[in-house]
Amino acid sequence: MGEVTGRADGLDAWAHLWRAPGDPPRWVVWTTAGETLVFDVELNVPAPVEDALLPEVVRRMRAAGAPESDGYPGRACA
């Protein structure tokens, strides 16, 4: 029987998103009019989390205390 890795469900690649948020936090949950996204405040863009994984990633982020907002969480675009 082969060794089981933690990557079978693809979530391990996103584990950094639900660690305790820093100060200021890099990753936030952004709820727009039509969807919920993970937003990278440092890069000022939504994180490319696959649609199939997004609900579980957001759930884990919320459980870890990630900030959440319905206002744009990034800085003004140039």
Side-chain angles (χ1 to χ4, degrees), residues 13 31 56 62 76:
T31 305
E56 181 61 15
R62 286 175 173 150

Side-chain angles (χ1 to χ4, degrees), residues 23-49:
D23 185 30
R26 176 174 178 179
W27 306 98
V28 299
V29 177
W30 178 30
T31 305
T32 69
E35 61 187 327
T36 299
L37 305 167
V38 174
F39 194 86
D40 182 339
V41 177
E42 185 177 299
L43 296 179
N44 203 39
V45 296
V49 179

Side-chain angles (χ1 to χ4, degrees), residues 6-15 18 50 53 57:
R7 298 192 180 269
D9 60 7
L11 288 171
D12 281 353
W14 301 103
W18 55 80
E50 297 173 34
L53 299 177
V57 168

Side-chain angles (χ1 to χ4, degrees), residues 50-68:
E50 297 173 34
D51 289 343
L53 299 177
L54 186 60
E56 181 61 15
V57 168
V58 168
R59 185 193 72 73
R60 292 179 185 206
M61 288 179 69
R62 286 175 173 150
E68 186 166 358

